[in-house]
Coordinates of all heavy atoms in Angstrom, one line a residue:
M1 N 268.9 23.3 34.2 CA 267.6 23.7 34.5 C 266.9 24.3 33.3 O 267.5 24.9 32.4 CB 267.5 24.7 35.6 CG 268.2 24.3 36.9 SD 267.4 23.0 37.8 CE 266.1 23.8 38.7
Y2 N 265.6 24.1 33.2 CA 264.8 24.6 32.0 C 263.7 25.5 32.5 O 263.1 25.2 33.5 CB 264.3 23.4 31.3 CG 265.4 22.5 30.8 CD1 265.9 21.5 31.6 CD2 265.9 22.6 29.5 CE1 266.9 20.7 31.2 CE2 266.9 21.8 29.0 CZ 267.5 20.9 29.9 OH 268.5 20.1 29.4
E3 N 263.6 26.6 31.7 CA 262.7 27.6 32.1 C 261.3 27.2 31.6 O 261.0 26.9 30.5 CB 263.1 28.9 31.4 CG 262.5 30.1 32.0 CD 263.0 31.4 31.3 OE1 263.5 31.3 30.2 OE2 263.0 32.5 31.9
V4 N 260.3 27.3 32.6 CA 258.9 27.0 32.2 C 258.1 28.1 32.8 O 258.3 28.6 33.9 CB 258.5 25.6 32.8 CG1 257.0 25.4 32.6 CG2 259.3 24.5 32.2
T5 N 257.1 28.6 32.0 CA 256.3 29.7 32.4 C 254.9 29.1 32.6 O 254.3 28.5 31.8 CB 256.2 30.8 31.4 OG1 257.6 31.3 31.1 CG2 255.4 32.0 31.8
C6 N 254.3 29.5 33.7 CA 252.9 29.0 34.0 C 251.9 29.7 33.1 O 252.0 30.9 32.9 CB 252.5 29.4 35.5 SG 250.8 29.0 35.9
A7 N 251.1 28.9 32.4 CA 250.2 29.4 31.4 C 249.1 30.3 32.1 O 248.5 31.1 31.4 CB 249.5 28.3 30.7
T8 N 248.9 30.2 33.4 CA 247.8 30.9 34.0 C 248.3 32.2 34.7 O 247.8 33.3 34.5 CB 247.1 30.0 35.0 OG1 246.5 28.9 34.4 CG2 246.0 30.8 35.8
C9 N 249.3 32.1 35.6 CA 249.7 33.2 36.3 C 251.1 33.8 35.8 O 251.6 34.7 36.4 CB 249.8 32.9 37.8 SG 251.1 31.7 38.3
A10 N 251.6 33.2 34.8 CA 252.9 33.7 34.2 C 254.1 33.6 35.1 O 255.1 34.2 34.8 CB 252.7 35.1 33.6
T11 N 254.0 32.8 36.1 CA 255.1 32.6 37.0 C 256.2 31.8 36.2 O 255.9 30.9 35.6 CB 254.7 31.8 38.2 OG1 253.7 32.5 38.9 CG2 255.9 31.5 39.1
Q12 N 257.5 32.3 36.4 CA 258.6 31.6 35.7 C 259.4 30.8 36.7 O 259.7 31.3 37.7 CB 259.5 32.6 35.0 CG 258.9 33.0 33.7 CD 260.0 33.7 32.8 OE1 261.0 34.1 33.3 NE2 259.7 33.7 31.5
V13 N 259.6 29.5 36.4 CA 260.4 28.7 37.3 C 261.4 27.9 36.5 O 261.3 27.9 35.2 CB 259.5 27.6 38.1 CG1 258.5 28.3 39.0 CG2 258.7 26.7 37.1
L14 N 262.4 27.3 37.2 CA 263.4 26.5 36.5 C 263.1 25.1 36.9 O 262.9 24.7 38.1 CB 264.8 26.9 37.0 CG 265.2 28.3 36.6 CD1 266.6 28.6 37.2 CD2 265.3 28.5 35.1
V15 N 263.0 24.2 35.9 CA 262.6 22.8 36.1 C 263.7 21.9 35.6 O 264.3 22.1 34.6 CB 261.3 22.5 35.3 CG1 260.9 21.0 35.4 CG2 260.2 23.4 35.8
E16 N 263.9 20.8 36.3 CA 264.8 19.8 35.9 C 264.2 18.4 36.3 O 263.7 18.3 37.4 CB 266.2 19.9 36.6 CG 267.2 19.0 36.1 CD 268.4 19.7 35.5 OE1 269.1 20.4 36.1 OE2 268.6 19.5 34.2
K17 N 264.2 17.5 35.3 CA 263.7 16.2 35.6 C 264.8 15.2 35.5 O 265.5 15.1 34.4 CB 262.5 15.8 34.7 CG 261.3 16.6 35.0 CD 260.2 16.4 34.0 CE 259.4 15.1 34.2 NZ 258.6 15.2 35.4
F18 N 265.0 14.4 36.5 CA 266.1 13.3 36.5 C 265.5 12.0 36.1 O 266.2 11.1 35.8 CB 266.8 13.3 37.8 CG 267.4 14.6 38.2 CD1 267.0 15.2 39.4 CD2 268.3 15.2 37.4 CE1 267.5 16.4 39.8 CE2 268.9 16.4 37.8 CZ 268.5 17.0 39.0
S19 N 264.2 11.9 36.1 CA 263.4 10.7 35.6 C 262.0 11.2 35.3 O 261.6 12.3 35.7 CB 263.4 9.7 36.7 OG 262.5 10.0 37.7
P20 N 261.3 10.4 34.6 CA 259.9 10.8 34.2 C 259.0 11.2 35.4 O 258.1 12.0 35.3 CB 259.4 9.6 33.4 CG 260.6 9.0 32.9 CD 261.6 9.1 33.9
V21 N 259.3 10.6 36.6 CA 258.4 10.8 37.7 C 259.0 11.9 38.6 O 258.3 12.4 39.5 CB 258.1 9.6 38.5 CG1 257.2 8.6 37.7 CG2 259.4 8.9 39.0
H22 N 260.3 12.2 38.5 CA 260.9 13.2 39.4 C 260.9 14.5 38.8 O 261.3 14.7 37.6 CB 262.3 12.7 39.8 CG 263.0 13.8 40.5 ND1 263.8 14.8 39.9 CD2 263.1 14.0 41.9 CE1 264.3 15.5 40.9 NE2 263.9 15.1 42.0
T23 N 260.4 15.5 39.5 CA 260.5 16.9 39.0 C 261.1 17.8 40.0 O 260.6 17.8 41.2 CB 259.1 17.4 38.6 OG1 258.5 16.5 37.7 CG2 259.2 18.8 37.9
S24 N 262.1 18.5 39.7 CA 262.8 19.5 40.6 C 262.4 20.9 40.1 O 262.6 21.2 39.0 CB 264.3 19.3 40.6 OG 264.9 20.3 41.4
I25 N 261.8 21.6 41.0 CA 261.4 23.0 40.6 C 262.1 24.0 41.4 O 262.2 23.9 42.7 CB 259.8 23.2 40.8 CG1 259.0 22.2 40.0 CG2 259.5 24.6 40.5 CD1 257.5 22.3 40.3
Q26 N 262.8 24.9 40.7 CA 263.5 26.0 41.5 C 262.7 27.3 41.3 O 262.5 27.8 40.2 CB 264.9 26.1 40.9 CG 265.7 27.1 41.7 CD 267.1 27.2 41.2 OE1 267.8 26.2 41.1 NE2 267.6 28.4 40.9
W27 N 262.2 27.8 42.4 CA 261.4 29.0 42.4 C 262.2 30.2 42.4 O 263.3 30.2 43.0 CB 260.4 29.0 43.6 CG 259.4 28.0 43.5 CD1 259.5 26.7 44.0 CD2 258.1 28.1 43.0 NE1 258.3 26.0 43.7 CE2 257.4 26.9 43.2 CE3 257.4 29.2 42.5 CZ2 256.1 26.7 42.8 CZ3 256.1 29.0 42.1 CH2 255.5 27.7 42.2
T28 N 261.8 31.2 41.6 CA 262.5 32.5 41.7 C 261.8 33.3 42.8 O 260.7 33.0 43.2 CB 262.5 33.2 40.4 OG1 261.1 33.5 40.0 CG2 263.0 32.3 39.3
T29 N 262.4 34.4 43.2 CA 261.8 35.3 44.2 C 260.5 35.8 43.7 O 259.5 35.9 44.4 CB 262.8 36.4 44.5 OG1 264.1 35.9 44.8 CG2 262.3 37.2 45.8
D30 N 260.5 36.2 42.4 CA 259.2 36.7 41.8 C 258.1 35.7 41.9 O 256.9 36.0 42.1 CB 259.5 37.1 40.4 CG 260.2 38.4 40.3 OD1 260.4 39.0 41.4 OD2 260.6 38.8 39.2
A31 N 258.4 34.4 41.7 CA 257.4 33.4 41.6 C 256.6 33.3 42.9 O 255.5 33.0 43.0 CB 258.1 32.0 41.3
R32 N 257.3 33.6 44.0 CA 256.7 33.5 45.3 C 255.6 34.5 45.5 O 254.7 34.3 46.4 CB 257.7 33.6 46.4 CG 258.7 32.4 46.3 CD 259.8 32.5 47.4 NE 260.7 31.4 47.2 CZ 261.7 31.0 48.0 NH1 261.8 31.7 49.1 NH2 262.4 30.0 47.8
T33 N 255.6 35.5 44.8 CA 254.5 36.5 44.9 C 253.6 36.4 43.6 O 252.5 36.8 43.7 CB 255.1 37.9 45.0 OG1 256.1 38.2 44.0 CG2 255.7 38.1 46.4
A34 N 254.2 36.0 42.5 CA 253.4 36.0 41.3 C 252.4 34.9 41.2 O 251.3 35.0 40.7 CB 254.3 35.8 40.1
C35 N 252.7 33.7 41.8 CA 251.8 32.6 41.8 C 250.8 32.7 43.0 O 251.3 32.6 44.1 CB 252.5 31.3 41.8 SG 251.4 29.9 41.7
P36 N 249.6 32.8 42.8 CA 248.6 33.0 43.9 C 248.6 31.7 44.8 O 248.5 31.8 46.1 CB 247.3 33.2 43.3 CG 247.5 33.1 41.8 CD 248.9 33.0 41.5
E37 N 248.8 30.5 44.2 CA 248.7 29.3 45.0 C 250.0 29.2 45.9 O 249.9 28.8 47.0 CB 248.6 28.1 44.2 CG 247.3 27.4 44.5 CD 247.1 26.1 43.7 OE1 247.6 25.0 44.1 OE2 246.6 26.1 42.6
F38 N 251.1 29.6 45.3 CA 252.4 29.5 46.0 C 252.3 30.5 47.2 O 252.7 30.1 48.3 CB 253.5 29.9 45.1 CG 254.9 29.6 45.7 CD1 255.5 28.4 45.4 CD2 255.5 30.5 46.4 CE1 256.7 28.1 46.0 CE2 256.8 30.3 47.0 CZ 257.4 29.0 46.8
A39 N 251.8 31.7 47.0 CA 251.7 32.7 48.0 C 250.8 32.2 49.2 O 251.1 32.4 50.3 CB 251.2 34.0 47.4
R40 N 249.8 31.4 48.8 CA 248.9 30.9 49.8 C 249.6 29.9 50.7 O 249.5 29.9 51.9 CB 247.7 30.2 49.2 CG 246.6 29.7 50.1 CD 245.3 29.4 49.4 NE 245.5 28.4 48.3 CZ 245.7 27.1 48.5 NH1 245.7 26.6 49.8 NH2 245.9 26.3 47.5
H41 N 250.4 29.0 50.1 CA 251.2 28.0 50.8 C 252.2 28.7 51.8 O 252.4 28.3 52.9 CB 251.9 27.1 49.9 CG 251.0 26.1 49.2 ND1 250.3 25.1 49.9 CD2 250.7 25.9 47.9 CE1 249.6 24.4 49.1 NE2 249.9 24.8 47.8
I42 N 252.8 29.7 51.3 CA 253.8 30.5 52.1 C 253.1 31.1 53.3 O 253.6 31.0 54.4 CB 254.5 31.6 51.2 CG1 255.4 31.0 50.2 CG2 255.2 32.6 52.1 CD1 256.7 30.5 50.7
A43 N 251.9 31.6 53.0 CA 251.1 32.3 54.1 C 250.8 31.2 55.2 O 250.6 31.5 56.4 CB 249.9 32.9 53.5
E44 N 250.6 30.0 54.8 CA 250.3 28.9 55.7 C 251.5 28.3 56.4 O 251.4 27.4 57.2 CB 249.5 27.8 55.0 CG 248.1 28.2 54.6 CD 247.4 27.2 53.7 OE1 248.0 26.2 53.3 OE2 246.3 27.5 53.3
G45 N 252.7 28.9 56.1 CA 253.9 28.5 56.7 C 254.6 27.3 56.2 O 255.4 26.6 56.9
R46 N 254.4 26.9 54.9 CA 255.0 25.8 54.4 C 256.4 26.0 53.9 O 256.7 27.2 53.5 CB 254.2 25.2 53.2 CG 253.2 24.2 53.8 CD 252.4 23.5 52.8 NE 251.1 23.6 53.3 CZ 250.0 23.3 52.7 NH1 250.1 22.9 51.5 NH2 248.9 23.4 53.3
D47 N 257.2 25.0 53.8 CA 258.6 25.1 53.3 C 258.5 25.4 51.8 O 258.0 24.6 51.0 CB 259.3 23.7 53.6 CG 260.7 23.7 53.1 OD1 261.1 24.7 52.5 OD2 261.4 22.7 53.3
P48 N 259.1 26.5 51.4 CA 259.0 26.9 50.0 C 259.6 25.8 49.0 O 259.1 25.6 47.9 CB 259.9 28.1 49.9 CG 259.9 28.7 51.3 CD 259.8 27.5 52.2
D49 N 260.6 25.1 49.5 CA 261.2 24.0 48.6 C 260.3 22.8 48.4 O 260.5 22.0 47.6 CB 262.5 23.6 49.2 CG 263.5 24.7 49.2 OD1 263.4 25.6 48.3 OD2 264.4 24.7 50.1
R50 N 259.2 22.7 49.2 CA 258.3 21.6 49.1 C 257.0 21.9 48.5 O 256.1 21.1 48.5 CB 258.1 20.9 50.5 CG 259.4 20.3 51.1 CD 259.3 19.8 52.5 NE 260.5 19.3 53.0 CZ 261.0 18.1 52.6 NH1 260.3 17.3 51.9 NH2 262.1 17.6 53.1
I51 N 256.9 23.1 48.1 CA 255.6 23.5 47.5 C 255.6 23.2 46.0 O 256.5 23.6 45.2 CB 255.3 25.0 47.7 CG1 255.2 25.3 49.2 CG2 254.1 25.5 46.9 CD1 255.2 26.8 49.5
P52 N 254.6 22.4 45.5 CA 254.6 22.0 44.1 C 254.2 23.0 43.1 O 254.2 22.8 41.9 CB 253.7 20.8 44.1 CG 252.7 21.1 45.3 CD 253.5 21.8 46.3
G53 N 253.7 24.1 43.6 CA 253.2 25.2 42.7 C 251.7 25.0 42.4 O 251.1 24.1 42.9
C54 N 251.2 25.8 41.5 CA 249.8 25.8 41.2 C 249.6 24.7 40.2 O 250.5 24.3 39.5 CB 249.3 27.1 40.7 SG 249.9 27.7 39.2
E55 N 248.4 24.3 40.1 CA 248.0 23.2 39.1 C 248.3 23.6 37.7 O 248.8 22.8 36.9 CB 246.5 23.0 39.3 CG 246.1 21.6 39.0 CD 245.3 20.9 40.1 OE1 245.8 21.0 41.3 OE2 244.3 20.3 39.8
A56 N 248.1 24.8 37.4 CA 248.3 25.3 36.0 C 249.8 25.2 35.7 O 250.2 24.9 34.6 CB 247.8 26.7 35.8
L57 N 250.7 25.5 36.7 CA 252.1 25.4 36.5 C 252.5 23.9 36.2 O 253.3 23.7 35.3 CB 252.8 25.9 37.7 CG 254.4 25.8 37.6 CD1 254.9 26.6 36.5 CD2 255.0 26.2 38.9
R58 N 251.9 23.0 37.0 CA 252.3 21.6 36.8 C 251.8 21.2 35.4 O 252.5 20.4 34.7 CB 251.6 20.8 37.9 CG 252.3 20.9 39.2 CD 251.9 19.8 40.2 NE 250.5 19.9 40.6 CZ 250.1 20.7 41.6 NH1 251.0 21.4 42.3 NH2 248.9 20.7 41.9
A59 N 250.7 21.7 35.0 CA 250.2 21.3 33.6 C 251.1 21.9 32.6 O 251.4 21.3 31.6 CB 248.8 21.9 33.4
S60 N 251.6 23.1 32.8 CA 252.5 23.8 31.9 C 253.9 23.0 31.8 O 254.4 22.8 30.7 CB 252.8 25.2 32.3 OG 251.6 26.0 32.4
I61 N 254.3 22.5 32.9 CA 255.6 21.7 33.0 C 255.4 20.4 32.2 O 256.2 20.1 31.3 CB 256.0 21.4 34.4 CG1 256.4 22.7 35.1 CG2 257.1 20.4 34.4 CD1 256.7 22.5 36.6
D62 N 254.2 19.7 32.4 CA 253.9 18.5 31.7 C 253.9 18.7 30.2 O 254.3 17.9 29.4 CB 252.6 17.9 32.2 CG 252.7 17.3 33.6 OD1 253.9 17.1 34.0 OD2 251.7 17.0 34.2
D63 N 253.3 19.9 29.8 CA 253.2 20.2 28.4 C 254.6 20.4 27.8 O 254.8 19.9 26.7 CB 252.4 21.5 28.3 CG 252.1 21.9 26.9 OD1 251.5 21.0 26.2 OD2 252.4 23.0 26.4
Q64 N 255.5 21.1 28.5 CA 256.8 21.3 28.0 C 257.6 20.0 27.9 O 258.4 19.8 27.0 CB 257.6 22.2 28.9 CG 257.1 23.7 28.9 CD 257.2 24.3 27.5 OE1 258.2 24.3 26.9 NE2 256.0 24.7 27.0
V65 N 257.3 19.1 28.8 CA 258.0 17.7 28.8 C 257.5 17.0 27.6 O 258.3 16.4 26.8 CB 257.6 16.9 30.1 CG1 258.1 15.5 29.9 CG2 258.3 17.6 31.3
R66 N 256.2 17.1 27.3 CA 255.6 16.4 26.1 C 256.2 16.9 24.8 O 256.4 16.2 23.9 CB 254.1 16.5 26.1 CG 253.3 15.4 26.8 CD 251.9 15.4 26.4 NE 251.2 16.6 26.7 CZ 250.7 16.9 27.9 NH1 250.8 16.1 28.9 NH2 250.2 18.1 28.1
R67 N 256.4 18.2 24.8 CA 257.0 18.8 23.6 C 258.5 18.6 23.5 O 259.1 19.0 22.5 CB 256.8 20.4 23.6 CG 255.4 20.8 23.4 CD 255.2 22.2 23.9 NE 253.8 22.6 24.0 CZ 253.1 23.3 23.1 NH1 253.8 23.7 22.1 NH2 251.9 23.6 23.3
G68 N 259.1 17.9 24.5 CA 260.5 17.6 24.4 C 261.4 18.8 24.9 O 262.6 18.7 24.7
R69 N 260.8 19.8 25.4 CA 261.6 21.0 25.8 C 262.3 20.7 27.2 O 263.3 21.4 27.5 CB 260.8 22.2 25.9 CG 260.4 22.7 24.5 CD 260.2 24.2 24.5 NE 261.3 24.9 25.1 CZ 261.2 25.9 26.0 NH1 260.0 26.2 26.5 NH2 262.2 26.5 26.5
V70 N 261.8 19.8 28.0 CA 262.4 19.4 29.2 C 262.7 17.9 29.2 O 261.7 17.2 29.3 CB 261.5 19.8 30.4 CG1 262.1 19.4 31.7 CG2 261.1 21.3 30.5
P71 N 263.9 17.6 29.0 CA 264.2 16.1 29.0 C 264.0 15.5 30.4 O 264.1 16.2 31.4 CB 265.7 16.1 28.6 CG 266.2 17.5 29.0 CD 265.1 18.4 28.8
T72 N 263.7 14.2 30.4 CA 263.3 13.6 31.6 C 264.5 12.8 32.2 O 264.4 12.0 33.1 CB 262.1 12.7 31.5 OG1 262.4 11.7 30.4 CG2 260.9 13.5 31.1
D73 N 265.7 12.9 31.5 CA 266.8 12.1 32.0 C 268.1 12.9 32.1 O 269.2 12.5 31.9 CB 267.1 10.9 31.0 CG 267.3 11.5 29.6 OD1 267.2 12.7 29.3 OD2 267.7 10.7 28.7
S74 N 267.9 14.2 32.3 CA 269.0 15.1 32.4 C 269.9 14.8 33.6 O 269.5 14.4 34.6 CB 268.6 16.6 32.5 OG 267.9 16.8 33.6
L75 N 271.2 14.9 33.3 CA 272.2 14.7 34.4 C 272.1 15.8 35.4 O 271.9 16.9 35.1 CB 273.6 14.5 33.8 CG 273.8 13.4 32.8 CD1 275.1 13.5 32.1 CD2 273.7 12.1 33.5
R76 N 272.3 15.4 36.7 CA 272.3 16.3 37.8 C 273.5 17.3 37.6 O 274.6 16.9 37.4 CB 272.5 15.6 39.1 CG 272.1 16.4 40.3 CD 272.2 15.5 41.5 NE 271.0 14.7 41.6 CZ 269.9 15.1 42.3 NH1 269.8 16.2 42.8 NH2 268.8 14.3 42.4
R77 N 273.2 18.6 37.6 CA 274.2 19.6 37.5 C 273.8 20.9 38.1 O 272.6 21.1 38.2 CB 274.7 19.8 36.0 CG 273.6 20.3 35.1 CD 274.1 20.7 33.7 NE 273.1 21.4 33.0 CZ 272.2 20.9 32.2 NH1 272.2 19.6 32.0 NH2 271.3 21.6 31.6
E78 N 274.7 21.7 38.4 CA 274.4 23.0 39.0 C 273.8 23.9 37.9 O 274.3 24.0 36.8 CB 275.6 23.6 39.6 CG 276.2 22.8 40.8 CD 275.2 22.7 41.9 OE1 274.5 23.6 42.3 OE2 275.0 21.5 42.4
P79 N 272.7 24.7 38.3 CA 272.2 25.6 37.3 C 273.2 26.8 37.1 O 273.9 27.1 38.0 CB 270.9 26.2 38.0 CG 271.1 25.9 39.5 CD 272.0 24.6 39.6
T80 N 273.3 27.3 35.9 CA 274.1 28.4 35.6 C 273.3 29.7 35.7 O 272.4 29.8 34.9 CB 274.8 28.2 34.2 OG1 275.4 27.0 34.1 CG2 275.8 29.3 34.0
P81 N 273.6 30.6 36.6 CA 272.8 31.8 36.7 C 272.7 32.6 35.4 O 273.8 32.8 34.7 CB 273.5 32.6 37.8 CG 274.3 31.6 38.5 CD 274.7 30.5 37.5
G82 N 271.6 33.0 35.0 CA 271.4 33.8 33.8 C 271.5 33.0 32.5 O 271.4 33.6 31.5
Q83 N 271.6 31.7 32.6 CA 271.7 31.0 31.4 C 270.8 29.8 31.4 O 270.8 29.0 32.3 CB 273.1 30.5 31.2 CG 273.3 29.8 29.9 CD 274.7 29.1 29.8 OE1 275.7 29.7 30.1 NE2 274.7 27.9 29.4
F84 N 269.9 29.7 30.4 CA 269.0 28.6 30.4 C 269.3 27.8 29.1 O 269.4 28.3 28.0 CB 267.5 29.0 30.3 CG 267.2 30.0 31.4 CD1 266.9 31.3 31.2 CD2 267.2 29.6 32.8 CE1 266.6 32.2 32.2 CE2 266.9 30.5 33.8 CZ 266.6 31.8 33.5
D85 N 269.5 26.5 29.3 CA 269.7 25.7 28.1 C 268.8 24.5 28.0 O 267.9 24.3 28.8 CB 271.2 25.2 28.0 CG 271.6 24.5 29.3 OD1 270.7 24.1 30.1 OD2 272.8 24.2 29.5
Ligands
ZN101 ZN1 250.4 29.5 38.2

């Protein structure tokens, strides 16, 4: 998993892409309150695992992908707590 910070609300998430079109986002507990859009979805009763996050976060993720910081073909593996590579 790769750490990406939202440029707007500073929410930190872990991102992994198994293909250019697939994006897996792992929210931290803090993100659920830090991102206003995420908090709104939660308030509406949505499944946290299916919330794509705020627009700015998606833009931030795309930006990191463009910079090559998040590979789009990473092999599926379990995240290691406390370690981002
Ligand atoms: Zn955000």
Side-chain angles (χ1 to χ4, degrees):
M1 304 293 279
Y2 298 85
E3 197 175 25
V4 175
T5 304
C6 176
T8 299
C9 66
T11 299
Q12 282 197 341
V13 295
L14 296 175
V15 175
E16 185 117 65
K17 289 177 80 72
F18 303 120
S19 76
V21 292
H22 173 272
T23 305
S24 175
I25 300 176
Q26 185 175 310
W27 292 85
T28 63
T29 313
D30 284 354
R32 295 181 183 188
T33 50
C35 181
E37 241 184 90
F38 191 92
R40 184 169 54 80
H41 285 298
I42 290 284
E44 288 170 3
R46 270 186 227 167
D47 180 355
D49 292 333
R50 294 176 181 279
I51 296 170
C54 69
E55 209 121 313
L57 175 63
R58 287 195 291 276
S60 300
I61 292 170
D62 286 347
D63 188 53
Q64 292 300 304
V65 171
R66 267 196 304 275
R67 290 162 194 259
R69 288 208 51 231
V70 178
T72 56
D73 58 352
S74 62
L75 296 169
R76 197 174 279 271
R77 65 173 190 266
E78 294 301 313
T80 307
Q83 182 190 314
F84 308 113
D85 55 11

